[in-house]
């Protein structure tokens, strides 16, 4: 059988990294970086998600078609957000004061 | 012709093709889930951009300790879920049962803590609608923040309840001696769903609990 079996050591490593990143994102949230706070928070969340998707969800070892499917979900999410904000940010009569 | 095999359905060439089809089908479902939660996140982001003060203040009403503990609990449940998939692949029945049980336990703890948080919000008068008795500045938009809080965490919690039911079915199937070795796929597909729900929370936690901590 060609199924990939993840090693316990790898899964535990990912688990510890996820916990460490959670502690990090909580800690940095108490510092005021202005508009950078949200960027840091979302970057850490994106990195944590990538770890979960690649290793816990086995996409790292998946077929190319699996990559295409997972990537398509991400791509459509980006389209949704970009077009939504392309609309709202280009409305001069709506007061967008911050992200 | 490949050898006849109990786990192989007749429409597939071999187990590899069958497993890949199942994985792709699950990912297709997860894409619809990404779009579902994506719509909520997009709406959240639009109203946060127009009412940043209300979002900042609303976030400060949330309990970062409970939210943080719940994040750790959910990550732990993802670990035991991944270990359950591994146990199923390697035909380790006891390890599979133990890890499925642990995943269910962590999921139940998460929902329990969530229920306590909801109760605190109800007592503080922060549940939108006729229970919203909180007194402070800019109440309309604070209520809007809590509407997003309850709908987003509520839909997330609902997904967890569904996951717990599926996990309970897996426990019964394991007790009947199924899901081991070549028959592990249902465990893996449940794992994909469970990890996806974890990913949703990985974004919900900072966006709801942490955005108002500074300043």
């Amino acid at each position: 059988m060609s199924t990939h079996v993840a090693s316990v050591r790898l899964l535990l490593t990912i688990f510890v990294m996820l916990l460490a990143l959670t502690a990090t994102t909580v800690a940095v949230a108490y510092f005021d970086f202005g508009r950078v706070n949200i960027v840091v928070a979302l970057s850490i969340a994106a990195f944590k998600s990538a770890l979960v998707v690649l290793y816990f969800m086995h996409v790292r070892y998946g077929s190319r078609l699996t990559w295409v499917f997972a990537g398509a979900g991400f791509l459509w999410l980006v389209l949704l957000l970009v077009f939504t904000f392309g609309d709202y940010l280009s409305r001069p009569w709506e007061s967008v004061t911050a992200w | 012709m490949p050898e006849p095999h109990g786990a192989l359905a007749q429409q597939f060439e071999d187990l590899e093709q069958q497993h890949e089809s199942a994985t792709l089908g699950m990912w297709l479902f997860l894409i619809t889930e990404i779009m579902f939660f994506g719509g909520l996140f997009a709406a959240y982001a639009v109203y946060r951009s127009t009412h940043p003060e209300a979002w900042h203040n609303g976030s400060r009403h949330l309990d970062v300790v409970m939210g943080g503990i719940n994040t750790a609990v959910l990550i732990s449940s993802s670990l035991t879920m991944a270990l359950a998939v591994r146990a199923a692949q390697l035909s380790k029945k006891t390890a599979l049962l133990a890890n499925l049980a642990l995943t269910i336990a962590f999921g139940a703890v998460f929902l329990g803590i969530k229920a306590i948080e909801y109760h605190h919000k109800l007592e503080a008068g922060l549940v939108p609608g006729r229970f919203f008795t909180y007194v402070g500045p800019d109440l309309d938009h604070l209520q809007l923040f809590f509407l997003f809080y309850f709908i987003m965490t509520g839909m997330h919690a609902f997904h967890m309840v569904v996951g717990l039911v599926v996990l309970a079915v897996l426990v019964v199937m394991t007790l009947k001696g199924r899901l081991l070795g070549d028959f592990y796929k249902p465990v893996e597909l449940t794992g994909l769903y469970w990890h996806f729900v974890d990913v949703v929370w990985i974004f919900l936690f900072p966006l709801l609990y942490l955005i108002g901590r500074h300043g």
Side-chain angles (χ1 to χ4, degrees), chain A residues 1-8 11-12 15 18-19 22 25-26 29-32 34 37-38 41-42 45-46 48-49 52-53 56-59 63 65-66 69-70 72-74 76-77 80-81 84-85 88 94-99, chain B residues 15-16 19-20 23-24 27-28 30-31 34-35 38-39 41-42 45-46 48-50 52 64 68 71-72 75-76 78-79 82-83 85-86 89-90 181-182 184 188 191-192 195-196 198-199 202-203 205-207 210-211 213-215:
Chain A
M1 214 165 81
S2 63
T3 309
H4 179 83
V5 181
S7 74
V8 174
L11 295 177
L12 283 175
F15 170 68
L18 289 172
L19 287 184
T22 302
T25 194
V26 172
Y30 286 90
F31 293 94
D32 193 356
N37 274 87
I38 189 74
L42 286 178
K48 285 168 76 182
S49 301
V52 172
V53 170
F56 281 177
M57 295 172 87
H58 299 174
V59 169
S63 66
L65 202 50
T66 310
F69 271 57
F74 177 72
W76 253 255
L77 180 64
L80 170 74
L81 295 174
T84 302
F85 271 91
Y88 277 95
E94 295 263 6
S95 62
V96 176
T97 46
W99 285 88
Chain B
L15 267 181
E16 194 177 346
H19 285 160
E20 166 128 353
T23 299
L24 292 178
W27 267 103
L28 202 58
L30 291 183
I31 291 173
I34 291 171
M35 298 320 292
F41 279 110
V46 166
R48 176 172 137 75
S49 71
T50 49
V64 80
T71 307
I75 290 171
S76 305
S78 261
L79 172 69
L83 289 171
V85 173
R86 184 186 141 83
Q89 287 172 325
L90 299 176
D182 287 342
Y184 82 101
E188 163 133 324
L192 288 180
H195 297 311
F196 167 79
D198 189 13
V199 167
I202 283 173
F203 281 98
F205 175 59
L207 286 176
L210 299 180
I211 53 160
R213 293 298 137 188
H214 63 280

Side-chain angles (χ1 to χ4, degrees), chain B residues 30-69:
Chain B
L30 291 183
I31 291 173
T32 69
E33 290 277 71
I34 291 171
M35 298 320 292
F36 171 75
F37 280 102
L40 288 173
F41 279 110
Y44 163 96
V46 166
Y47 284 106
R48 176 172 137 75
S49 71
T50 49
H51 309 294
E53 279 300 314
W55 255 234
H56 188 87
N57 295 333
S59 173
R60 295 178 84 90
H61 285 290
L62 299 181
D63 191 328
V64 80
V65 175
M66 284 203 185
I69 290 172

Side-chain angles (χ1 to χ4, degrees), chain B residues 109-144:
Chain B
V109 168
F110 179 95
L111 289 175
I113 292 176
K114 201 78 230 149
I116 294 170
E117 283 189 79
Y118 279 180
H119 185 67
H120 286 170
K121 294 295 160 287
L122 185 65
E123 284 186 330
L126 287 165
V127 177
R130 62 196 190 92
F131 298 110
F132 199 83
T133 52
Y134 184 80
V135 180
D138 199 13
L139 286 175
D140 286 351
H141 296 134
L142 186 65
Q143 199 168 177
L144 187 62

